[in-house]
């Protein structure tokens, strides 16, 4: 068991070497060293944790085993249980998901003069956008450029990003910051109004714009207010469980489920945008997660079942610094901004073992190696961990820096008696981001006509690894993008006719033909954490 006296004893070793470690400039790894490290220690490379799909557009490709069960599962509904002839809602653009991407899409659709509606299984703003802390990238300073941003992100993603998507991300980034600023986001600024920017892992320039260390919450607050001020309809606590197609096979709405009553409703739309976010609550490989409660990969299932293709669905991001202690915040995000401000990763001996601003996959794999092969981790009730020496920040930047720049981190640990200004904290990788997702074209459309996607549910923008700050940027750039193009498409689309859910039976037959039992109902909608009382009693 983990003991607080042991914690204090080990922390002294970190403090003893702090001044020496603060002056260290650890070298960055070579490309060959990174490849070897990732192959041996990153979770994406554990072959036994993946399943090859037997059905659907990505048949023959591997995905995490938990995701495969959902992708090849059975629908929560039967087509005959839904009356498609009398829609409960009629709109031009239906947006599934109320996070940063969904809200951005709704705002742009409303600006375009079409009817837009958001449906979300929790509340608007209950999303990973809200959980993001460190900042949002944009090359808008004189010593930077979108081209340099592109090179950083392309290399950081192992040169696997779809070039046309990454180009749009970096080219639209300065405009996205300007848009958010004008909407009212309280970015950190100097007294003369210049935006404060910092480095992130894998960046060659200081282009991280932030609002303290609650950047995502501040952005989501502003977007939510704009949606509500525009009086865009938001249907809370209502999940999409199937995409509806028209007689031509185009997306034409969705079947909705009231999360409380389980009542099924029909929303008809000329275009549909999937903006359902990530998958952290699937807890791949048993990892904790920094994700919000509703992050269960629903959008991947909705799109896949009607024929949309996935891209890089076998790649996840394990944020290197999830809280490992205390238990109450196990897996919670410790923003990369802590390291960009000067904190370094330290092992049980008090030694710095890597450059603090390597890319996230390399950093996560390094921590896992330190805790496993090298045996240099610190044992906690949740397994092994390493130190993140937060007091180093004020040693380098002066007293008051932590309270000014990362107040949310100060408060989060302070609730449990840990003063990060004086004590190091324990961290270990946490499941953070879905690198892969629905494959889209630059206008945001999937392979299914009139079905768009935006945000974390999309694959290909970042390649096989994402740099810090490019996710908040992604939800804004591609959320707005989907809203603009879905609106334009809606204007030239007549009211859909011949609504159908025939794809449910068709997909089910494909699953049976592949010899699969399809025991899992999908989409998952919400994770299950309740213990099985009967089994617990039997096992006593």
């Amino acid at each position: 068991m983990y003991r607080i006296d042991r914690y204090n004893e080990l922390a002294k070793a970190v403090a003893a070497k702090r001044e020496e470690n603060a002056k260290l400039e650890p070298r960055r790894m070579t490309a060959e060293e990174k490849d070897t490290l990732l192959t041996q220690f990153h979770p994406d490379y554990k072959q036994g944790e993946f399943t090859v799909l037997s059905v659907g557009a990505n048949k023959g490709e591997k995905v995490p085993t938990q995701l495969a069960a959902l992708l090849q599962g059975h629908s929560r509904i039967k087509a005959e249980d839904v009356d498609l002839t009398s829609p409960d809602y009629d709109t031009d653009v239906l947006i599934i998901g109320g996070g940063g991407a969904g809200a951005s899409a709704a705002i742009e659709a409303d600006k375009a003069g079409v009817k837009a509606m958001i449906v979300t299984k929790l509340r608007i703003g209950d999303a990973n956008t809200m959980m993001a802390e460190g900042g949002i990238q944009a090359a808008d300073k004189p010593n930077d450029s979108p081209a340099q941003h592109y090179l950083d992100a392309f290399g950081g993603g192992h040169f696997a990003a779809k070039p046309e998507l990454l180009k749009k991300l970096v080219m639209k980034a300065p405009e996205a910051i300007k848009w958010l600023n004008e909407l009212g986001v309280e970015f950190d600024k100097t007294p003369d109004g210049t935006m404060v920017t910092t480095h992130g892992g894998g960046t060659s320039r200081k282009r991280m714009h932030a609002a303290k260390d609650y950047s995502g919450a501040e952005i989501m607050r502003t977007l939510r207010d704009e949606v509500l001020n525009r009086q865009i309809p938001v249907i809370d606590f209502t999940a999409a469980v199937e995409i509806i197609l028209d007689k031509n096979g185009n997306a034409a709405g969705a079947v909705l489920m009231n999360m409380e009553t389980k009542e099924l409703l029909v929303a008809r739309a000329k275009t549909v945008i999937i903006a359902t976010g990530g998958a952290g609550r699937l807890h791949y490989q048993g990892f904790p997660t920094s994700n919000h409660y509703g992050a269960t990969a629903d959008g991947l299932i909705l799109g896949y079942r009607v024929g949309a293709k996935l891209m890089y669905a076998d790649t996840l991001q394990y944020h290197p610094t999830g809280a490992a202690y205390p238990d109450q915040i196990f897996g919670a995000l410790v923003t990369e901004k802590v390291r960009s401000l000067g904190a370094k990763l330290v092992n049980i001996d008090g030694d710095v073992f890597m450059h603090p601003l390597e890319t996230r996959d390399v950093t996560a794999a390094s921590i896992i190696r330190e805790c496993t092969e090298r045996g240099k981790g610190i044992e906690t009730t949740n397994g092994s961990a390493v130190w993140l020496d937060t007091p180093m920040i004020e040693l380098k930047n002066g007293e008051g820096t932590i309270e000014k720049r990362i107040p949310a981190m100060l408060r989060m640990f302070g609730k449990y008696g840990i003063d990060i200004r004086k004590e190091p904290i324990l961290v270990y990788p946490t499941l953070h981001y879905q690198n892969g997702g629905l494959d889209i074209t630059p206008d945001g459309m999937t392979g299914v006509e009139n079905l768009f996607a935006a945000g974390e549910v999309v694959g290909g923008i970042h390649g096989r690894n994402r740099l810090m700050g490019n996710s908040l940027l992604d939800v804004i750039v591609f959320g707005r993008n989907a809203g603009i193009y879905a609106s334009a498409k809606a204007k030239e689309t007549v009211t859909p006719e011949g609504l159908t859910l025939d794809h449910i039976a068709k997909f089910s037959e494909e699953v049976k033909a592949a010899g699969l039992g399809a025991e899992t109902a999908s989409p998952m909608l919400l994770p299950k954490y309740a213990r099985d009382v009967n089994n617990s009693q039997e096992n006593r």
Side-chain angles (χ1 to χ4, degrees), residues 280-291:
R281 291 289 166 168
L282 299 188
H283 294 289
Y284 297 128
Q285 300 187 36
F287 273 81
T289 186
S290 63
N291 285 190

Side-chain angles (χ1 to χ4, degrees), residues 74-389:
H74 65 84
S75 178
R76 288 184 165 274
I77 63 172
K78 295 179 180 178
E80 55 266 29
D81 295 335
V82 184
D83 180 7
L84 298 176
T85 61
S86 302
D88 300 277
Y89 302 101
D90 231 325
T91 191
D92 294 324
V93 181
L94 174 66
I95 300 155
I96 304 171
S104 296
I107 292 166
E108 288 297 344
D110 189 65
K111 283 171 62 177
V114 301
K115 287 173 57 181
M117 182 177 86
I118 294 174
V119 295
T120 178
K121 67 182 174 184
L122 297 175
R123 301 164 301 179
I124 183 171
D126 288 341
N128 281 348
T129 303
M130 193 75 180
M131 318 288 281
E133 295 168 347
I136 175 172
Q137 285 202 49
D140 58 0
K141 292 293 181 72
N143 69 333
D144 203 358
S145 69
Q148 190 62 48
H149 188 177
Y150 183 99
L151 291 173
D152 288 346
F154 199 45
H158 302 288
F159 307 99
K162 289 182 74 170
E164 62 272 30
L165 299 185
L166 182 54
K167 178 182 178 182
K168 174 163 281 191
L169 182 77
V170 301
M171 293 298 290
K172 294 290 185 179
E175 179 187 323
I177 296 294
K178 184 174 182 291
W179 185 71
L180 289 172
N181 189 53
E182 290 175 350
L183 282 178
V185 171
E186 299 270 354
F187 286 113
D188 296 339
K189 298 174 183 175
T190 60
D192 68 356
T194 302
M195 290 201 187
V196 175
T197 52
T198 58
H199 271 300
T203 63
S204 61
R205 300 289 188 276
K206 291 182 178 181
R207 69 172 71 96
M208 202 69 56
H209 302 64
K212 302 290 190 292
D213 58 343
Y214 40 80
S215 304
E218 171 60 13
I219 288 171
M220 193 67 244
R221 174 196 68 81
T222 307
L223 295 175
R224 182 179 57 230
D225 285 355
E226 184 69 9
V227 167
L228 298 178
N229 288 340
R230 286 177 171 272
Q231 299 184 320
I232 298 169
V234 178
I235 314 301
D236 287 325
F237 299 113
T238 302
V241 293
E242 287 291 345
I243 299 296
I244 297 170
L245 301 178
D246 67 10
K247 61 184 181 182
N248 299 313
N250 302 337
V255 178
L256 312 177
M257 177 186 287
N258 181 297
M259 293 295 286
E260 183 177 8
T261 66
K262 307 306 178 188
E263 177 188 8
L264 295 179
L265 304 164
V266 172
R268 180 170 60 184
K270 295 176 180 177
T271 58
V272 179
I273 300 173
I274 297 177
T276 51
R281 291 289 166 168
L282 299 188
H283 294 289
Y284 297 128
Q285 300 187 36
F287 273 81
T289 186
S290 63
N291 285 190
H292 82 106
Y293 187 56
T296 49
D298 297 352
L300 302 189
I301 284 81
L302 293 175
Y304 196 70
R305 198 129 61 204
V306 292
K309 189 174 176 61
L310 305 178
M311 187 174 194
Y312 300 149
D314 59 324
T315 64
L316 288 303
Q317 183 166 90
Y318 297 82
H319 195 291
T321 55
Y325 175 84
D327 291 353
Q328 296 94 325
I329 54 172
F330 180 52
L333 181 63
V334 176
T335 173
E336 191 169 304
K337 191 173 182 179
V338 175
R339 285 178 285 132
S340 71
L341 288 173
K344 290 176 182 168
L345 293 159
V346 178
N347 63 24
I348 194 170
D349 298 326
D351 296 327
V352 174
F353 59 89
M354 64 169 297
H355 192 287
L357 289 178
E358 293 282 9
T359 56
R360 286 180 172 177
D361 55 350
V362 170
T363 306
S366 296
I367 292 172
I368 293 171
R369 177 176 64 182
E370 203 71 11
C371 292
T372 54
E373 182 183 74
R374 293 180 175 174
K376 296 289 186 178
I378 299 94
E379 287 305 313
T380 75
T381 50
N382 297 302
S384 197
V386 298
W387 296 110
L388 182 56
D389 194 7

Side-chain angles (χ1 to χ4, degrees), residues 24-44:
L24 279 179
E25 290 296 335
R27 73 172 181 84
R28 290 188 181 271
M29 297 182 196
T30 65
E32 292 75 17
E33 287 172 331
K34 291 178 183 180
D35 288 343
T36 300
L37 173 72
L38 292 171
T39 301
Q40 293 180 358
F41 296 100
H42 195 277
D44 280 355

Side-chain angles (χ1 to χ4, degrees), residues 59-74:
K59 181 178 179 179
E61 297 179 18
K62 68 174 185 176
V63 300
T65 297
Q66 296 91 331
L67 179 59
L70 294 170
L71 289 172
Q72 299 180 148
H74 65 84

Side-chain angles (χ1 to χ4, degrees), residues 453-467:
E456 193 173 344
V457 77
V458 171
I461 297 171
H462 309 286
R464 291 186 168 272
N465 179 60
R466 178 180 63 77
L467 299 187

